[in-house]
Every structure is written in C-alpha cells, then in structure tokens.
C-alpha cells in the first residue's frame, strides 16, 4: 500500500490519483468500486496503458470524462506511464466561487475557467450573481434589476465606491458592467453539463442588497414618518414586496439552472434599519419575535420552504445558523471553520470554504510584490495544508470544499486567473485525492509543471518561479517562519 502511494505521487498529475501501479491491474473494475459510495462510483475510472494501447474503464460517462482529464494532463505534461491508474473522488463538492457582481467578466471568461476546472476535476462553479455592486441576471418579472443596476459609474469597485455608488444605463459609453440574459445562462449551463460541472447560482439576501432597493424601493424598510430607507444594505423582511421579488427571481433562476442546490447568501446582514421599520415591527409582533435577528431566520426559513417546494435545497453562508435554520439547509462555512463544525454537529451537510485557508482574493505572496489584495497571506502551500474534516466532524456530511474569489479588487480576466491558479490546484487535490496525499514539496513540483501547461493554454497564472521563501514555507508571517527555522521544525 505504501509503495503504491509513493508511485501515485510520482505521476505528474493534479489531483493525484488514488492509486497508480506500473503493473496491469488484474481485479475486475466493477468489483473494485463496489464498496464506494454511489456518487464516487459515478466518477471512478481506471486507465490501463500497455505499449501504445490505452484502455479506459468507467461505469458512467462522467467517469470516462474524469479519465479523459487525467489522460489530457499526463499528455500535456509529456508522459503517459505504463501500468494502471485507479481513481475516484474523496468529496462530491469540489468548487470555485466567482463573484460576478463586483466585477463582471462574462460568459467567455466563465467557459475558459470551466475548461481549467474540468482539467482539475473540479465539479462545482458557484456564481455570485448579485450584490450591492450590481445585479447580473436579467429577470423578466423585475427588469429594472439589471436595467438600473447592471452598469455603474467607475471601472473598479473602489472607483464606484468613491463616486458614491452611482449606477448608469447600458447605453452610457462610460458605464461599466454587464449582465447575463437567460439565453447566456442556458448556454453556460449546457457548457457546464458537457464538462460535468454543476453551476450553483447565488441570489444574495437579505444583506449585500443595496442594488435591489435602488431598482425596486418597495423592498426597503419604511420609517414611522413614511420615509423609505433609501440606500440601505439590507432588504426589508417585514415587507411582502421583498418576498414577492425574491420568489419571482428564484423561480426564474430555478427555471434556468438545474442545480439541486440554490445558494441564498445570508451573510453579513447589518439589520440596522429593521428596528426602525414599521413593517419589520409589525412582522415581529405577528411572529412573537423579541429580537430583530429573528427576522433574518424568518426570511431564510420562508425562502427555504419556497425553494424546497420546488424540489431544490438551499445553501447559505454560515450566518444562517444563528437564527434558526431548517435541517435541510446546507451550510457554507466562511468565517473560519467554526460554522462548518457547528453545522456538522447539528446534522447539516456542509461545504467548507473558510477564509482562514480558501479565500482566493487574499494575498498569495508578499504584499510588496503582489497586486493589491486583502487578508492574511494565503499561499499555495497554505491552501494545500487545509484539511476539510476537522477532528470530530462527520465526514459523510461534508459535501466538500470550495475556493472563493471575491472580485472587489479583481477587475480583469487576467487578474482573476492570476488569483485562481495555481491555488485552485491545491483545492482540487485536497477535494479529490485521499487525505493521506499531502507532501507539499512534491505537490509544488507538480503544480509548477501544471502552471506551465496552463500558460501554454493562455491562462495568466501566478509566477511560481518568483514565489517568496515565506510563501513557499507555508507560514503566514516572517515571525512564525523565523521561529520555525530556529526550532528546525520546517
Ligand atoms: C463572505 O465572504 N461574506 C461570504
Ligand atoms: Zn423593514
């Protein structure tokens, strides 16, 4: 077993396969996968190379597709080793989130990233389709969402912020932005299906929603003097207009996206206007609530029931745990890992995307050599060190893990690719390969080769040849690195 593992690591392949043996495997493939979970069987494959003959075994087209990715990578890296590769995934959710609200990059960009994702056996593309900086999906029920907020004044998010959040129209030659028509999105869904990727659409609520109130003010809170809270960050959970809009939009979203999961955001609601609002106060009285926070739970539960009545399951950021959440909800841990651990202990399925490890908008190397970013140093090695199943967690409820690329500071396609690669390689390997595969130095060698492959395919990756010693070490500060060197521990 140990020998086989070492050999598996010797292949120039990301994610590393479960097993590589230079010999022909004599066991029956179907027997070999019989003990795996059904979702693992679907993606399992075996490749046997003998001389120039290549044999692929899989029980589904998806399994064959994963095998094709393996062959494509090995060929691109210049080798097709003799013997047998046997492989299947550790997790069923292996994802990347892209924020299309703060900086709209469009259809061709997403298709290109799906090509890379398929090569890495990543299978979930979560698209953050709306936020205060702009609504990106045309709605026939609420056309002003895009007509009034999909274009803004200011090329970058911060220029827009500095200019006091001004939106403009599609025909303004100075306007920046864009949006997807239902036809564009159907094209993306079809492209994703061809690549065995599920697109999870996110419609953010009730926070991060300034643009919704700008387009349709009746979703905003109302003060006792009758004034609307113009410019508010949160939707009003007391107003029926809010639910009417959200349900209409979600219905359109579910018509376009076949995803079993629909992301409803749920993070960072400020709840500032709620205690002052006549509609929120009335809702609290009717429901017997004593704390405005309960209004967030009310909204999440009502939307969850709506989504579930249409045969889908919601995912929400980990804040949804704090205000009473239906047990069918999937919780996505982002404020570190504690939300995921807590949700897991409560019996929820979880997706782990902690900002402690998997935020791809965070610096990947020293501040002085990188484009402006945020957060603590989140180097390739640091991402690779992440283990999504902490001690005590029930692995069967961990759907998987995901890297999140927020785009406030990522205005271009080239910049987005720079932030994504090679860190997406580490996410792919941790999410697909057995937990025991985790030698960071050996992984770095493979990552450098694969960066070369992506560059020849026209991706603008981070330059691994100029990665600082600190980033390569996996430590996050010079202090910690120096201390470790003194102690001779790394
Ligand atoms: C988040 O990063 N606010 C989910
Ligand atoms: Zn209100």
């Amino acid at each position: 077993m140990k020998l086989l593992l070492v050999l598996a690591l010797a292949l120039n392949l990301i994610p590393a396969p479960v097993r590589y043996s230079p010999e022909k495997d004599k066991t029956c493939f179907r027997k070999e996968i019989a003990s795996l979970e059904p979702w693992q069987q679907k993606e399992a494959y075996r490749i046997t190379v003998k001389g120039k003959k290549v044999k692929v075994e899989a029980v589904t087209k998806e399994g064959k597709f994963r095998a094709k990715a393996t062959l494509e990578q090995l060929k691109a890296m210049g080798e097709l080793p003799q013997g047998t590769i046997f492989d299947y995934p550790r997790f069923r959710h292996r994802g990347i989130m892209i924020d299309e609200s703060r900086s709209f990059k469009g259809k061709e960009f997403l298709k290109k990233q799906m090509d890379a994702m398929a090569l890495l056996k990543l299978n979930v593309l979560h698209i953050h389709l709306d936020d205060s900086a702009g609504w990106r999906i045309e709605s026939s029920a609420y056309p002003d969402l895009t007509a009034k907020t999909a274009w803004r004044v200011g090329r970058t998010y911060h220029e827009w912020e500095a200019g006091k959040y001004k939106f403009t129209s599609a025909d303004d030659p100075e306007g920046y932005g864009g949006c997807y028509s239902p036809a564009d999105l159907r094209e993306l869904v079809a492209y994703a299906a061809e690549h065995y990727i599920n697109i999870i659409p996110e419609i953010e609520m009730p926070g991060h929603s300034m643009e919704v109130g700008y387009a349709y003010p009746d979703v905003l809170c109302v003060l006792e003097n009758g004034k609307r809270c113009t410019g508010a960050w949160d939707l009003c959970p007391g107003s029926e207009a809010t639910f009417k809009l959200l349900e209409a939009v979600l219905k359109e979203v579910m018509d376009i996206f076949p995803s079993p999961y629909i992301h409803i955001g749920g993070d960072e609601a400020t709840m500032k206007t709620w205690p002052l609002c006549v509609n929120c106060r009335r809702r609290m009285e009717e429901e017997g609530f004593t704390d405005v926070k309960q209004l967030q739970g009310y909204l999440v539960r009502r939307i969850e029931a709506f989504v579930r009545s249409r045969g889908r399951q919601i995912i929400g950021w980990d804040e949804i745990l704090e205000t009473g959440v239906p047990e069918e909800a999937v919780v996505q841990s982002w404020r570190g890992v504690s939300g995921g651990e807590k949700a897991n202990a409560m019996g929820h399925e979880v997706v782990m995307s902690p900002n402690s490890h998997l935020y791809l908008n965070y610096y990947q190397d020293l501040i002085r050599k990188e484009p402006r970013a945020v957060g603590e140093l989140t180097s390739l090695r640091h991402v690779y060190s992440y283990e999504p199943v902490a001690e005590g967690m029930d692995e069967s409820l961990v759907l998987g893990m995901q890297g999140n690329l927020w785009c406030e500071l990522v205005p271009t396609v080239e910049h987005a690719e720079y932030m994504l690669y090679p860190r997406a390689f580490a996410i792919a390997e941790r999410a697909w390969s057995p937990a025991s595969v985790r030698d960071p130095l050996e992984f770095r060698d493979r990552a450098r080769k694969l960066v070369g492959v992506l560059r020849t395919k026209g991706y603008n990756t981070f330059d691994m040849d100029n990665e600082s010693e600190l980033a390569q070490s996996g430590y996050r500060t010079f202090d910690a690195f120096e201390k470790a060197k003194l102690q001779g521990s790394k």
Side-chain angles (χ1 to χ4, degrees):
M1 184 63 202
K2 195 147 195 189
L3 177 66
L4 292 174
L5 196 62
V6 170
L7 288 165
L9 290 176
L11 282 184
N12 274 322
L13 184 61
I14 294 177
V18 169
R19 196 173 75 225
Y20 163 62
S21 143
E23 308 298 329
K24 188 168 183 296
D25 202 336
K26 297 210 170 59
T27 52
C28 162
F29 175 68
R30 280 183 188 267
K31 252 196 197 151
E32 213 169 359
I33 63 169
S35 63
L36 300 178
E37 294 292 331
W39 54 268
Q40 288 175 309
Q41 293 190 14
K42 242 167 40 139
E43 293 193 86
Y45 67 89
R46 188 163 74 180
I47 298 171
T48 310
V49 182
K50 191 157 189 281
K52 287 207 168 116
K53 249 182 84 184
V54 178
K55 181 179 166 195
V56 171
E57 292 165 282
V59 289
T60 65
K61 283 187 182 160
E62 190 170 355
K64 285 207 173 95
F65 186 79
R66 302 298 173 216
K68 203 168 127 248
T70 291
L71 290 170
E72 190 183 331
Q73 241 194 63
L74 290 173
K75 281 178 190 159
M77 301 254 225
E79 62 174 333
L80 190 53
Q82 298 287 306
T84 309
I85 296 169
F86 173 62
D87 206 8
Y88 59 87
R90 181 177 174 205
F91 294 107
R92 64 199 115 155
H93 181 121
R94 308 180 299 274
I96 295 291
M97 187 219 75
I98 293 181
D99 166 12
E100 283 284 76
S101 174
R102 271 62 169 267
S103 151
F104 181 72
K105 299 187 179 69
K107 204 163 64 176
E108 295 313 314
F109 165 75
L110 289 181
K111 284 186 184 173
K112 186 178 172 195
Q113 306 326 307
M114 284 197 268
D115 293 344
M117 287 173 68
L119 192 65
L120 293 164
K121 303 187 178 76
L122 291 166
N123 67 346
V124 172
L125 174 62
H126 163 183
I127 313 178
H128 188 69
L129 279 166
D130 68 295
D131 209 296
S132 293
W135 186 280
R136 304 291 175 213
I137 159 172
E138 279 176 8
S139 159
S140 54
Y142 287 86
D144 281 352
L145 287 168
T146 49
K148 290 199 172 165
T149 82
W151 282 267
R152 70 177 181 226
V153 179
R155 192 183 66 87
T156 65
Y157 178 82
H158 286 100
E159 281 167 14
W160 173 70
E161 218 174 31
K164 300 217 168 20
Y165 314 109
K166 286 201 181 68
F167 289 113
T168 182
S169 59
D171 56 11
D172 178 352
E174 302 288 312
Y176 173 85
C179 60
Y180 292 110
S181 68
D184 291 334
L185 292 171
R186 288 203 166 90
E187 191 181 320
L188 280 175
V189 166
Y191 196 83
E194 281 165 21
H195 293 74
Y196 292 91
I197 289 169
N198 179 41
I199 300 184
I200 298 182
E202 178 183 353
I203 298 298
E204 173 75 84
M205 64 190 81
H208 285 272
S209 296
M210 276 163 62
E211 87 290 16
V212 185
Y214 181 80
Y216 291 97
D218 57 354
V219 301
L220 293 169
C221 284
V222 179
L223 304 178
E224 259 171 39
N225 63 9
K227 260 188 84 176
R228 283 202 186 276
C229 297
T230 305
W233 173 260
D234 304 314
L235 304 175
C236 172
S239 162
E240 280 307 299
T242 300
F243 291 93
K244 200 163 157 244
L245 181 146
L246 290 174
E247 290 178 3
V249 165
L250 284 169
K251 185 179 172 306
E252 291 178 336
V253 164
M254 287 187 272
D255 284 347
I256 294 169
F257 293 96
S259 172
Y261 301 107
I262 303 295
H263 207 301
I264 63 152
D267 59 318
E268 299 185 306
T270 65
M271 308 180 196
K272 272 189 192 157
T273 56
W274 299 353
L276 313 170
C277 166
V278 288
N279 293 324
C280 285
R281 282 192 196 152
R282 190 178 50 243
R283 178 84 73 205
M284 286 184 69
E285 218 172 283
E286 283 166 8
E287 298 294 325
F289 295 156
T290 52
D291 186 332
V292 280
K293 267 191 162 184
Q294 291 170 288
L295 288 170
Q296 156 122 343
Y298 173 86
L299 179 137
V300 169
R301 286 193 299 278
R302 210 169 137 177
I303 294 296
E304 192 275 342
F306 176 77
V307 170
R308 185 153 39 88
S309 73
R310 280 156 174 76
R312 315 292 181 93
Q313 214 174 337
I314 64 154
I315 306 186
W317 300 110
D318 58 41
E319 282 92 334
I320 67 169
L321 271 180
E322 292 167 9
T323 49
V325 60
E327 62 191 36
E328 291 84 356
V330 176
V331 175
Q332 183 157 359
S333 196
W334 76 275
R335 294 173 301 176
V337 298
S338 59
E341 288 175 355
K342 188 171 158 204
N344 185 268
M346 288 163 70
H348 289 280
E349 291 179 326
V350 297
V351 173
M352 300 304 290
S353 64
N355 58 0
S356 58
H357 289 79
L358 303 184
Y359 265 39
L360 303 180
N361 54 324
Y362 283 18
Y363 280 101
Q364 62 191 315
D365 207 337
L366 306 181
I367 289 175
R368 70 174 132 81
K369 72 185 264 300
E370 289 304 295
R372 191 175 155 211
V374 291
E376 280 188 84
L377 176 57
T378 302
S379 65
L380 175 67
R381 183 158 173 180
H382 182 71
V383 175
Y384 192 67
S385 73
Y386 181 61
E387 163 52 48
V389 186
E391 216 177 300
M393 277 172 87
D394 176 352
E395 181 156 346
S396 71
L397 292 174
V398 178
L399 294 180
M401 54 191 270
Q402 183 176 301
N404 294 335
L405 182 62
W406 299 104
C407 290
E408 289 95 329
L409 289 166
V410 184
T412 66
V413 167
E414 292 74 22
H415 193 157
E417 291 179 357
Y418 182 86
M419 302 306 270
L420 285 169
Y421 311 109
R423 290 185 291 184
F425 302 176
I427 290 164
E429 181 143 313
R430 289 267 63 83
W432 176 284
S433 306
S436 56
V437 178
R438 53 181 329 120
D439 176 342
L441 300 181
E442 189 279 335
F443 169 74
R444 188 172 195 280
D445 280 347
R446 282 182 285 131
R448 272 190 70 233
K449 288 178 190 143
L450 191 56
V451 155
V453 171
L454 283 201
R455 286 189 166 200
T456 62
K457 288 176 182 285
Y459 291 84
N460 179 49
T461 72
F462 170 76
D463 180 6
M464 287 187 70
D465 292 337
N466 283 312
E467 190 179 23
S468 72
E469 212 188 342
L470 176 66
Q472 285 188 48
S473 76
Y475 286 100
R476 307 190 91 180
T477 63
F478 282 109
D479 269 6
F481 183 33
E482 292 301 317
K483 214 181 271 174
K485 275 202 284 194
L486 282 174
Q487 290 166 353
S489 65
K490 214 170 186 179

